[in-house]
């Protein structure tokens, strides 16, 4: 099988290229397909599978290891870093611009496209790299429907935050909305004191297979049903806002997990 990754695109690659580069002008095409997240995700997943899932020893080794992990345990951050070769990643320091840490290849591509936005001589790999660079870690998350990769350190820290928020409540209830497969609530449950209840809810509109107990309720119905002390939402869908409904319900506190401002979570104006 020929691979478009070498720049010699096969027929399947050309069809997908037509979805994201119909005019072969990056400035026009990027504006055209950027808002259509599902089209972008469709092409990106195909690319990730071809690039990593089918040929990467790193991907296969990580997948084998994580399959062996029991449902009651989570990997550490260090384990994930080592499995996927992420040891060079780090958090932004205060005042740092995320663009300063962009992948070198992406910066080179964007510099080239600023001078000449004709993309006919770029491979599909380069087009996707310029728009949204990925690696084995992203491929694994895409194929397993993971939006928030849970680690021991992350869930422990979140549990401490929730315990602090609920310290003055007599019969505390935590409501997770948009809970997806229920993993976050499941792993938090064992880290909360007796008497602190956490309930996972999801509308089911994304048809995410459930791993753990999740009640089929949308945000408004869940708020009416449980009148929670704290609402938890991890990776709210893009251009969707749950926070207005939470505030209308007069919930004392809520915790949002994910990107802020112009990131991939919530509505850039309405979510706060």
């Amino acid at each position: 099988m020929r691979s478009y990754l070498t720049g010699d695109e096969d027929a399947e690659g050309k069809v997908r290229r037509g979805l994201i580069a119909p005019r072969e002008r990056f400035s026009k095409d990027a504006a055209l397909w950027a808002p259509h997240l599902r089209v972008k995700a469709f092409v990106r997943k195909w690319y990730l599978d071809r690039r990593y899932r089918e040929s990467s020893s790193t991907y296969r080794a990580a997948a084998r290891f994580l399959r062996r992990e029991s449902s009651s345990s989570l990997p550490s951050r260090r384990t994930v870093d080592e499995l996927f070769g992420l040891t060079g990643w780090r958090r932004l320091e205060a005042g740092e611009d995320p663009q300063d840490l962009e992948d070198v290849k992406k910066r080179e591509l964007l510099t080239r496209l600023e001078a000449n936005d004709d993309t006919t001589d770029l491979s599909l790999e380069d087009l996707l790299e310029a728009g949204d660079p990925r690696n084995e870690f992203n491929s694994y998350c895409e194929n397993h429907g993971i939006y928030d990769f849970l680690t021991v350190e992350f869930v422990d820290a979140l549990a401490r935050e929730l315990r602090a928020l609920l310290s003055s409540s007599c019969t505390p209830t935590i409501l997770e909305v948009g809970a997806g497969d229920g993993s976050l609530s499941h792993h938090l449950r064992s880290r909360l004191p007796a008497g602190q209840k956490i309930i996972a809810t999801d509308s089911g509109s994304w048809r995410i297979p459930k791993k753990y107990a999740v009640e089929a309720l949308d945000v408004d119905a869940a708020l009416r049903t449980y009148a929670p002390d704290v609402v938890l939402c991890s990776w709210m869908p893009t251009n969707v806002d749950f926070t207005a409904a939470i505030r209308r319900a007069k919930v004392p506190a809520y915790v949002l997990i994910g990107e802020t401002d112009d990131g991939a979570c919530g509505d850039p104006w309405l979510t706060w």
Side-chain angles (χ1 to χ4, degrees), residues 188-200:
L188 280 169
R189 198 166 284 120
S190 63
R191 290 165 165 83
L192 296 173
Q196 289 190 358
K197 181 169 61 174
I198 183 166
I199 301 158

Side-chain angles (χ1 to χ4, degrees), residues 252-272:
Y254 56 92
V255 177
L256 306 180
I257 300 167
E259 295 179 328
T260 58
D261 299 325
D262 61 348
C265 291
D267 185 284
W269 294 102
L270 301 177
T271 300
W272 52 274

